[in-house]
Amino acid sequence: GCDSMMISAAKLAGSWPDLNLEPITGEGYGTDPNLISPPDQAWPLTLTTAQRATVNVLVDILIPREGDKPSASEVNVTNLLDEWVSAPYPSFQSDRVEILSALVWFDEESERRFNTGFVQASPTQRLEIIDDIAYQEAESELRFAYISRVFDAIRTLVTIAYFESPEGTKEIGYQ
């Protein structure tokens, strides 16, 4: 309908990457997971070193170190995102396409503005990009409409992952 036309227009306006991803082939938990001695890792992680570097930068922009409170990357939020995009379930796979496309978008946007990748850009340059997409107003600017929605989903995932970590639960006073 009209909403999907708007989404398509927003993707085009924002030059959204069109990735051709290999399908995930991990097995997942199955219908009867072993909760007594679960595997160390449920499925193979799929983020590349470069993708992990971009995720580390993004999660630490969202939740930076503050005094003795660790940053998101310091409490392994990147690993959780890697598990999320590597999970062999259909809903996770659609998230995978969006998240990996967003990582490419950050690099392409940084190259376009600063002639350097997102990870290599200065903290000020990175924040300039984030500031353009991180707020509600971004959704009304067509070229940022789609990335701002995807970024909002990433921000939610990062926040949940952070506050589920031992350090994060301690910070919110969870007993």
Side-chain angles (χ1 to χ4, degrees):
C2 187
D3 197 39
S4 67
M5 272 180 21
M6 276 299 293
I7 288 171
S8 296
K11 281 182 173 180
L12 285 172
S15 63
W16 193 246
D18 186 17
L19 303 186
N20 185 7
L21 300 175
E22 290 291 317
I24 291 290
T25 57
E27 290 185 19
Y29 291 114
T31 55
D32 191 16
N34 180 348
L35 300 178
I36 305 298
S37 53
D40 289 338
Q41 198 170 309
W43 41 77
L45 301 181
T46 59
L47 287 182
T48 65
T49 304
Q51 289 167 330
R52 287 181 69 86
T54 303
V55 170
N56 278 334
V57 168
L58 279 174
V59 302
D60 284 353
I61 287 171
L62 290 167
I63 304 180
R65 172 175 266 286
E66 285 185 23
D68 60 348
K69 293 179 183 143
S71 71
S73 70
E74 291 175 308
V75 300
N76 295 318
V77 168
T78 301
N79 286 350
L80 189 126
L81 245 83
D82 199 349
E83 268 186 45
W84 190 274
V85 300
S86 304
Y89 305 111
S91 65
F92 289 81
Q93 288 311 291
S94 63
D95 288 352
R96 174 178 184 244
V97 173
E98 299 300 335
I99 291 170
L100 296 188
S101 296
L103 299 182
V104 171
W105 184 92
F106 281 107
D107 262 343
E108 289 177 350
E109 186 67 12
S110 184
E111 286 286 348
R112 190 181 66 69
R113 292 184 192 202
F114 312 118
N115 296 314
T116 187
F118 189 72
V119 171
Q120 295 74 29
S122 73
T124 305
Q125 291 170 327
R126 293 177 194 154
L127 283 180
E128 185 183 306
I129 293 171
I130 296 294
D131 283 345
D132 282 343
I133 65 166
Y135 304 101
Q136 195 117 34
E137 309 84 74
E139 287 191 29
S140 63
E141 190 172 334
L142 200 53
R143 71 190 183 108
F144 298 135
Y146 199 75
I147 184 62
S148 69
R149 288 180 184 181
V150 176
F151 183 71
D152 192 46
I154 292 171
R155 176 173 36 210
T156 301
L157 198 55
V158 167
T159 305
I160 291 167
Y162 184 84
F163 288 107
E164 282 185 347
S165 73
E167 297 84 351
T169 54
K170 192 172 106 186
E171 191 177 320
I172 56 175
Y174 183 77
Q175 299 294 316

